[in-house]
Amino acid sequence: MKMLNGIWDFSFTLKGEYPDFKSKRIVPSCFDTDGLLFGQRGFGWYRTNIMIGGMVKLSCRGGLHYSILWDGREVGNSVLPWSREEFVFNAGEEGKHTLIIKTDNLVGKKGDIFKENYDFYGYGGIYDQVTIKRLEDGMIDRINVFPLDHTTGLIKISLDVFGHTPEKLAISFDGEKYDNIPFASEFDIKVPNFRLWTPEHPQLHTITVNSVSVNFGIRTLDWSGNRLKLNGKPVKLIGYNRHETHPEFGAAIPDSLTASDLLRIKEQGCNFIRGAHYPQKESMLELADKLGILIWEESLAWGNKADDLANLEFIRAQIQQAELMVRKSLNHPSVIMWGFLNEHESDSQAGLELVKKLYGVIRGLDISRPITFASNKPETDICFDFVDIIALNVYPGWYDGDECTENSSGRIRPVLQKYASRFTDKPLIISEIGFAALLGDRSGLRWSEEYQAECVKIVFETILDDDRFSGLALWQFCDAKSFTAIQNFTQRPRGYNNKGVLTEFRVPKSAWKVISDVISKHSCQQKSKS
Ligand code: ADA
């Protein structure tokens, strides 16, 4: 597989007219983060040359839409921002070929799954590495690993093959030759000398089949009662919602920054990230696998109303991105649940129909993980019976109507406890709760670091001390640029959602230390109890 990252020719055009490619851009990058193109909407054209030939698979992740031109001919296109998509085509004779990726960040098309009212920024460009691989007849294209039993190391393997199936499979584990077996597209196998994957000891294995290798981890999930269980034991998820964004890089943040975000979260004592609100990049999940961070991965949606939920193009796109997400991330032990349709109109019939549809699509691909969506309608939701985990986005102490003041923190605990008493037959997660703070505001009023710190202390203490909760994802890890159409001075100052406990440049607000202290005090208490 070739990585096509590096410096490419680039042009921006307002209307999509074919450009002169007079400037240069790095790939991956978002074109609308800096210089004269800051905040511009239009078309970003990226061009490079590649030596290759024959049948190939090109893989890309970008937004908001893009098309792939190979020697001037369109060989694929995407309307699924943040999804990794693969395009198989005949690249022609062995030799030099020209690849153009024409991206745009236009909004407003009805069936689109990114909308102009979303509370995060819709960047244009190539968000992640572009790769190309030559496809040979009979090659293993993908190995899918499903851990079946964490006590014996039994796993199920399913193989995707390109072209004719090979006669034999040569299998190795962790670099040691294991067996040669006749071809089967699916089989169960016990991993020799298997090690369990846990957040504390995230031990990975590698399987190689006919020279193609993947990493995987052996761990199981159980959501049959009202506690989520990992490897047969109740697990409490504690962490953050995280947008993959930064002012300088937009959605194309470098892997070093992703790694430092994940390390901070881990070192604080957290074990959980909800990848809000779109499929995660491969390298983020690889890091989570290695660090032992548990991930809720979800497909792109945000507060969609019944007319979107019933729109055929929107439905088709939701199904397609759910399928792509599950296939892409199946092998990652860190991914412990699938999500979709954040805060959709889950008290509508259209919402219910789409939940059932997406649940069925995901269940058809993966029986090993729970499926959920984050609801902001705890009182009126009609979809809870059709998912595995109850996940609530609630904002006591912040969105409490006009009477919400800096004295409102007292409402947080009773509201959380009310839901813990009500939702008792499935695992319960608080998938969002949060409070905005502007760095340096020390007034003690709403929007100050003090008020945010006081509120998050109550939240973490309440959830950590109460076993009726299976998890918490605070809204949010760091401040994140919001989309222009909903920026307004009173709710999104600076054009940002300011509920981060770090700023967009990862400067900690007072809440960060408070959370660290609460977690460390709690884990000391737990240790002294055991
Ligand atoms: C919602 C939404 C988040 C964010 C949050 C807020 O719950 O899911 O993306 O917009 O509200 O800050 O208001």
Side-chain angles (χ1 to χ4, degrees):
M1 180 152 74
K2 281 190 196 178
M3 302 268 196
L4 303 179
N5 301 351
I7 295 179
W8 292 28
D9 303 329
F10 176 80
S11 272
F12 174 80
T13 61
L14 275 175
K15 299 222 154 48
E17 55 280 28
Y18 195 83
D20 55 18
F21 288 105
K22 274 202 179 130
S23 46
K24 302 271 179 200
R25 279 280 164 139
I26 189 114
V27 168
S29 68
C30 290
F31 63 76
D32 48 0
T33 52
D34 65 333
L36 294 175
L37 296 184
F38 180 84
Q40 282 269 9
R41 303 252 139 219
F43 294 79
W45 298 72
Y46 295 79
R47 182 178 72 183
T48 192
N49 291 322
I50 309 161
M51 298 294 293
I52 203 161
M55 287 305 291
V56 295
K57 182 191 273 187
L58 186 121
S59 164
C60 189
R61 179 171 177 265
L64 293 173
H65 316 90
Y66 62 86
S67 44
I68 311 274
L69 304 171
W70 188 258
D71 296 331
R73 166 176 69 103
E74 184 172 314
V75 291
N77 61 69
S78 168
V79 293
L80 305 177
W82 286 278
S83 281
R84 177 158 285 282
E85 293 204 62
E86 296 179 327
F87 308 94
V88 173
F89 57 93
N90 190 336
E93 295 285 296
E94 184 67 41
K96 188 164 133 188
H97 297 275
T98 304
L99 166 66
I100 292 175
I101 303 183
K102 176 190 174 190
T103 67
D104 79 67
N105 59 0
L106 303 178
V107 286
K109 211 173 129 234
K110 187 138 176 43
D112 271 2
I113 52 170
F114 184 86
K115 308 264 176 206
E116 59 260 86
N117 67 324
Y118 286 10
D119 191 9
F120 49 102
Y121 202 76
Y123 289 99
I126 301 174
Y127 297 177
D128 197 2
Q129 62 198 12
V130 183
T131 63
I132 194 162
K133 91 173 172 190
R134 193 192 297 268
L135 296 171
E136 311 284 358
D137 187 44
M139 80 190 261
I140 307 288
D141 191 21
R142 227 193 108 80
I143 307 171
N144 306 295
V145 185
F146 302 85
L148 295 177
D149 185 348
H150 68 269
T151 61
T152 59
L154 186 71
I155 59 172
K156 175 187 284 306
I157 300 291
S158 84
L159 300 174
D160 301 347
V161 175
F162 180 70
H164 297 92
T165 50
E167 263 174 40
K168 289 236 169 313
L169 299 175
I171 300 174
S172 309
F173 283 104
D174 305 318
E176 301 273 321
K177 204 165 170 338
Y178 177 77
D179 206 358
N180 278 340
I181 59 169
F183 177 83
S185 61
E186 243 184 55
F187 52 94
D188 294 355
I189 197 165
K190 263 192 195 166
V191 179
N193 307 317
F194 85 93
R195 304 177 294 272
L196 210 54
W197 187 95
T198 67
E200 299 75 29
H201 302 287
Q203 308 186 85
L204 294 169
H205 286 284
T206 309
I207 180 169
T208 307
V209 183
N210 295 3
S211 79
V212 174
S213 300
V214 288
N215 290 339
F216 66 97
I218 298 176
R219 57 106 191 87
T220 56
L221 295 155
D222 174 0
W223 58 94
S224 54
N226 59 4
R227 295 294 309 274
L228 181 64
K229 291 187 185 147
L230 180 68
N231 298 327
K233 291 191 210 124
V235 60
K236 188 168 281 190
L237 311 172
I238 295 292
Y240 295 98
N241 286 275
R242 174 178 172 275
H243 270 299
E244 180 112 335
T245 177
H246 183 279
E248 197 174 335
F249 307 104
I253 80 171
D255 287 349
S256 54
L257 180 56
T258 306
S260 99
D261 282 359
L262 266 59
L263 278 170
R264 275 168 201 267
I265 289 172
K266 177 84 183 175
E267 281 170 5
Q268 195 184 40
C270 292
N271 61 7
F272 181 47
I273 295 174
R274 174 171 173 232
H277 295 298
Y278 33 75
Q280 301 295 294
K281 68 174 171 178
E282 193 62 13
S283 56
M284 186 276 195
L285 299 178
E286 280 166 10
L287 277 160
D289 290 346
K290 287 186 187 143
L291 293 173
I293 298 179
L294 306 166
I295 307 290
W296 159 332
E297 191 173 19
E298 70 185 23
S299 46
L300 170 63
W302 193 86
N304 303 91
K305 303 272 178 277
D307 58 338
D308 282 340
L309 303 168
N311 176 283
L312 286 181
E313 247 180 289
F314 185 88
I315 295 173
R316 208 176 307 125
Q318 288 297 335
I319 291 174
Q320 202 192 341
Q321 60 159 346
E323 284 171 350
L324 287 169
M325 172 178 80
V326 175
R327 285 188 204 283
K328 164 189 76 73
S329 303
L330 256 183
N331 292 338
H332 292 284
S334 57
V335 177
I336 56 150
M337 65 180 85
W338 305 116
F340 46 67
L341 296 183
N342 172 64
E343 293 194 351
H344 71 291
E345 216 163 77
S346 51
D347 51 1
S348 71
Q349 197 54 33
L352 176 64
E353 293 309 320
L354 191 49
V355 165
K356 286 198 218 160
K357 204 168 271 166
L358 291 173
Y359 187 98
V361 165
I362 295 179
R363 212 16 106 236
L365 295 168
D366 179 21
I367 55 164
S368 73
R369 292 167 173 93
I371 302 170
T372 190
F373 68 94
S375 169
N376 64 344
K377 304 191 171 26
E379 312 295 336
T380 54
D381 204 298
I382 56 170
C383 301
F384 288 145
D385 284 349
F386 301 90
V387 288
D388 303 318
I389 289 182
I390 307 296
L392 304 180
N393 292 359
V394 289
Y395 281 84
W398 190 256
Y399 295 131
D400 265 350
D402 289 344
E403 69 289 16
C404 183
T405 68
E406 56 282 4
N407 299 319
S408 299
S409 61
R411 298 187 195 167
I412 298 168
R413 191 185 296 268
V415 168
L416 292 176
Q417 288 174 337
K418 174 179 83 178
Y419 293 127
S421 313
R422 182 179 313 164
F423 297 105
T424 53
D425 60 345
K426 291 185 180 187
L428 172 66
I429 293 179
I430 299 301
S431 40
E432 285 185 34
I433 182 166
F435 317 87
L438 295 170
L439 185 76
D441 182 338
R442 300 284 178 173
S443 64
L445 303 174
R446 274 177 108 239
W447 295 94
S448 69
E449 289 192 48
E450 277 84 354
Y451 183 64
Q452 185 190 43
E454 180 192 332
C455 292
V456 298
K457 183 165 189 284
I458 299 170
V459 170
F460 276 79
E461 285 176 348
T462 307
I463 305 277
L464 282 166
D465 288 344
D466 191 334
D467 281 344
R468 292 175 299 176
F469 295 100
S470 281
L472 162 70
L474 188 76
W475 188 266
Q476 60 177 338
F477 172 65
C478 68
D479 293 345
K481 190 170 159 79
S482 186
F483 198 71
T484 8
I486 74 155
Q487 283 177 28
N488 68 61
F489 219 71
T490 52
Q491 284 304 316
R492 297 291 178 269
R494 314 180 304 117
Y496 274 72
N497 184 314
N498 292 284
K499 297 188 189 74
V501 289
L502 307 176
T503 68
E504 64 276 23
F505 292 105
R506 281 53 173 175
V507 179
K509 304 177 192 172
S510 307
W512 182 262
K513 174 150 190 326
V514 167
I515 295 171
S516 307
D517 291 347
V518 173
I519 293 176
S520 112
K521 190 167 153 211
H522 183 263
S523 72
C524 288
Q525 285 165 351
Q526 294 299 102
K527 272 187 203 135
S528 65
K529 269 195 215 157
S530 60

